Amino acid sequence: MATSVKPPYKIKPKGKHYYTIWKTLFEIDMKYVPIKPIGRGSYGVVCSSINKDTNEKVAIKKISNIFDNCVDSVRTLRELMLLRHIQHENVIALKDVMMPVQRTSFKDVYLVYELMDTDLDRIIQSSHPLSNDHCKYFLFQLLRGLKYLHSANILHRDLKPGNLLVNSNCDLKICDFGFARTNGLDGEFMTEYVVTRWYRAPELLLCCDYYGTSIDMWSVGCIFAEILGRKPIFPGTDCLNQLKLIVNILGTPHESDLEFIDNPKAKWYIKSLPYTRGIHFSQLFPQADPLAIDLLQKMLVLDPTERITASEALQHPYMSDLYDPRCNPPARVPIDLNIDENLGEHMIREMMWNEILHYHPEAASVNA
């Protein structure tokens, strides 16, 4: 439970009160009253809360000492920049970012999201039965959100069940945009580590220099297979083992399927693997709808140029009774998420402050 505590300062900052949540001090705006802790990670602690002004339940994430790690601070800045522009019912909404007391020396950031009940990873691992309608509805919402992101020129780059939040009524929302990037052709970010290994597209495993939205669609295929089978389809122990598991199921690729590989050593490795006919998805998921199997086959394609897109997947017969293209317009403008990774702490803090001001326009004139 959240425990109210006295402020750690002689003079209490105006408009703040204090709670201890999982031994972590929360210095939050007066309008938020914490309920209970709901998550913890390398980033910090998340608690559920009530916004007294609106009577709405929200999730507050505290990221402590954010500038101690440049990677974490840039990831958070990137998520702030993206979620300020994105408004879609299948993408998590960032409702508020609390104003720090000090502009030039704040160390912690408090992000306020809409509250969700659980995530898809916990649902898959649970004993709760999942009908074909469940599988279809989860996939439909994931594809809708992804189509919107891709229309805004955004690659998520870290799709996995744990990054898909779910409510008790099965509403699904994509979250965690710290690895998201603008889709481009300059290759400036193309070789860095992205995507949790089990959901990582072959072109990333094979160290290809260029990739696009197809990496997200591979991840969607892995997630869909995991929903159908209630376990990961490619649980690799390392990069090479991951590739081997993929080939074992998809089968030994033809020469024409390897043209996308621009790394000679990577191409040689694939060719060196023992021949296999592969395993048909209908054997792996005998209870699945044949149309679901057909769609999965179009997602888990080795060659990214042959992989189905989010828009095409929504128009697949498996989705026909749910998808209405008139109800899923594209994003209005592309978003630029390219941030210089070598920015100093002062500049990142200043950029983050300016993002926070968008949620508190009344403070802009005061701090001008």
Side-chain angles (χ1 to χ4, degrees):
M1 293 294 291
T3 305
S4 179
V5 295
K6 292 183 179 180
Y9 315 110
K10 291 182 179 179
I11 300 176
K12 178 182 175 182
K14 184 179 179 181
K16 303 285 184 181
H17 59 167
Y18 300 84
Y19 290 83
T20 298
I21 298 163
W22 275 343
K23 299 181 179 180
T24 300
L25 179 68
F26 272 57
E27 177 189 287
I28 59 177
D29 296 348
M30 294 294 291
K31 67 180 179 181
Y32 295 112
V33 178
I35 302 172
K36 63 180 180 180
I38 55 176
R40 175 190 281 147
S42 57
Y43 52 81
V45 174
V46 182
C47 73
S48 59
S49 302
I50 289 182
N51 180 338
K52 292 191 297 182
D53 290 354
T54 62
N55 207 32
E56 178 186 27
K57 289 186 177 180
V58 296
I60 299 177
K61 178 198 288 188
K62 177 184 181 181
I63 307 176
S64 303
N65 300 312
I66 190 168
F67 301 105
D68 287 357
N69 185 310
C70 179
V71 173
D72 288 344
S73 59
V74 171
R75 281 189 64 182
T76 302
L77 175 59
R78 189 173 282 119
E79 176 148 337
L80 290 179
M81 293 170 64
L82 185 144
L83 291 180
R84 177 165 60 86
H85 293 284
I86 290 292
Q87 289 185 330
H88 191 275
E89 59 189 14
N90 297 122
V91 176
I92 196 70
L94 181 60
K95 293 185 164 294
D96 188 13
V97 187
M98 295 185 208
M99 283 293 298
V101 176
Q102 295 292 335
R103 175 175 183 167
T104 59
S105 60
F106 69 92
K107 297 179 179 180
D108 307 325
V109 174
Y110 295 87
L111 308 176
V112 183
Y113 298 91
E114 58 183 318
L115 182 65
M116 303 292 285
D117 293 319
T118 186
D119 61 54
L120 192 58
D121 186 49
R122 294 178 186 174
I123 291 174
I124 290 171
Q125 293 186 38
S126 75
S127 58
H128 192 285
L130 293 177
S131 66
N132 181 52
D133 285 343
H134 281 115
C135 298
K136 184 186 298 188
Y137 191 49
F138 286 143
L139 179 64
F140 167 68
Q141 294 178 90
L142 172 53
L143 289 170
R144 282 188 78 234
L146 197 57
K147 177 179 182 285
Y148 180 85
L149 291 170
H150 288 174
S151 75
N153 209 33
I154 296 299
L155 313 184
H156 185 282
R157 305 202 316 166
D158 195 24
L159 290 173
K160 56 187 177 183
N163 284 343
L164 303 175
L165 303 181
V166 180
N167 264 342
S168 56
N169 61 357
C170 293
D171 286 344
L172 178 146
K173 296 177 187 286
I174 302 169
C175 73
D176 198 343
F177 289 89
F179 282 121
R181 292 293 190 282
T182 305
N183 186 22
L185 299 174
D186 54 12
E188 66 173 301
F189 60 79
M190 296 303 186
T191 56
E192 72 179 272
Y193 175 91
V194 289
V195 188
T196 306
R197 186 191 308 116
W198 293 355
Y199 310 92
R200 201 179 305 173
E203 56 267 36
L204 298 178
L205 294 165
L206 292 163
C207 303
C208 296
D209 287 335
Y210 299 97
Y211 59 82
T213 55
S214 54
I215 66 163
D216 285 339
M217 287 308 298
W218 176 272
S219 301
V220 171
C222 294
I223 294 166
F224 188 29
E226 194 165 333
I227 295 171
L228 294 173
R230 307 300 287 264
K231 63 181 181 181
I233 185 171
F234 304 124
T237 54
D238 57 50
C239 185
L240 295 181
N241 178 249
Q242 186 74 22
L243 282 166
K244 190 174 182 180
L245 293 181
I246 290 170
V247 172
N248 283 347
I249 288 181
L250 298 190
T252 297
H254 297 291
E255 184 71 30
S256 60
D257 297 326
L258 303 178
E259 291 180 0
F260 73 95
I261 305 175
D262 48 30
N263 184 312
K265 289 184 178 180
K267 186 177 289 189
W268 175 86
Y269 175 75
I270 292 294
K271 289 183 175 180
S272 72
L273 293 173
Y275 175 81
T276 173
R277 296 178 61 185
I279 305 172
H280 198 274
F281 291 136
S282 60
Q283 291 180 260
L284 289 176
F285 313 112
Q287 306 302 318
D289 184 326
L291 287 175
I293 296 296
D294 184 75
L295 180 52
L296 183 61
Q297 286 176 319
K298 291 175 167 60
M299 293 175 174
L300 295 180
V301 176
L302 195 71
D303 184 348
T305 65
E306 299 296 322
R307 209 171 292 151
I308 197 170
T309 67
S311 181
E312 291 167 346
L314 282 165
Q315 297 173 62
H316 186 276
Y318 184 59
M319 297 278 104
S320 62
D321 59 338
L322 291 175
Y323 182 60
D324 182 350
R326 297 169 298 178
C327 298
N328 195 28
R332 293 182 179 178
V333 293
I335 299 166
D336 185 3
L337 287 182
N338 293 328
I339 303 171
D340 184 353
E341 303 283 342
N342 298 314
L343 287 174
E345 177 182 325
H346 171 76
M347 183 58 69
I348 296 174
R349 181 185 275 108
E350 187 66 16
M351 292 174 69
M352 201 172 289
W353 176 270
N354 288 330
E355 284 296 321
I356 294 171
L357 283 179
H358 286 286
Y359 295 87
H360 301 274
E362 75 286 349
S365 58
V366 176
N367 291 278

